[in-house]
Amino acid sequence: AHAHAQVRGVLDAVHAAAQRGHWCLGHVRYEAAAAFDAALQTHAADGPLAWFAVHDGPLPWPEEDTGQGPTHAAWLEWQDSLDRADFDAALARIQQAIAAGELYQVNYTAPLRGRLQGGADALFAALQRAQPGGYAAHIDTGAQQILSVSPELFFDWQDAPGGGAILARPMKGTAPRGA
């Protein structure tokens, strides 16, 4: 989906494929927000608003990769886009807002830019070795590659007769209730 009007159609098609037993994976960009609420405004997306692949079943996980040898070398040369003074000023505003009771929690992020040296598959293998387990994905859309080794399961929707269930495993911010 490259336009907001196409996003729901893509999600409906993916949902229908999943209900038929297919394995579906992909992503919906934050910039697709207006597809769900026109009042939400974002900057222009640098790729499709929604992209999914549909498969008959999962592929076997690749053999263990030791990351050795020249074909397995991958690294990133990072460039910070935020200088220290701007970072300190933003943190001070956040702390003031929390102290004033305007905010409870903020996940403050800043973009990093990097240049990949080597292949995305080798980088994914290195990330996987550094953070094993969790919920990893390497999505190759042809135009872009998305690599994630998140420890967090956002959600797993299990459709069942008479009702469904959603399983979520957040990485932080929640804990079982105590006595």
Side-chain angles (χ1 to χ4, degrees):
H2 291 276
H4 290 110
Q6 299 170 327
V7 172
R8 287 183 186 258
V10 167
L11 295 178
D12 288 343
V14 168
H15 183 235
Q19 286 185 315
R20 291 189 307 273
H22 294 286
W23 286 64
C24 306
L25 60 117
H27 67 276
V28 177
R29 292 183 190 269
Y30 288 108
E31 293 84 2
F36 308 101
D37 184 342
L40 299 173
Q41 296 188 13
T42 64
H43 58 80
D46 60 354
L49 296 171
W51 185 97
F52 283 84
V54 177
H55 300 275
D56 291 332
L59 296 175
W61 196 254
E63 295 284 326
E64 180 64 28
D65 184 349
T66 63
Q68 303 299 313
T71 61
H72 295 284
W75 68 95
L76 289 163
E77 295 175 12
W78 291 108
Q79 298 169 351
D80 191 355
S81 63
L82 185 67
D83 67 27
R84 185 63 198 211
D86 290 339
F87 174 80
D88 290 342
L91 245 354
R93 286 192 301 275
I94 290 168
Q95 290 170 336
Q96 290 170 353
I98 290 172
E102 297 170 14
L103 302 170
Y104 168 73
Q105 175 181 334
V106 173
N107 294 327
Y108 180 67
T109 63
L112 287 173
R113 300 232 181 252
R115 182 173 179 89
L116 174 61
Q117 302 295 321
D121 55 345
L123 177 59
F124 182 68
L127 291 170
Q128 192 67 45
R129 283 190 306 277
Q131 187 166 315
Y135 302 91
H138 177 182
I139 299 173
D140 183 351
T141 71
Q144 296 179 323
Q145 297 203 30
I146 300 168
L147 286 61
S148 174
V149 291
S150 176
E152 179 177 37
L153 173 60
F154 183 59
F155 72 87
D156 181 9
W157 179 7
Q158 296 293 320
D159 215 4
I166 295 178
L167 173 65
R169 292 195 173 127
M171 62 184 171
K172 62 179 180 182
T174 59
R177 292 182 68 144

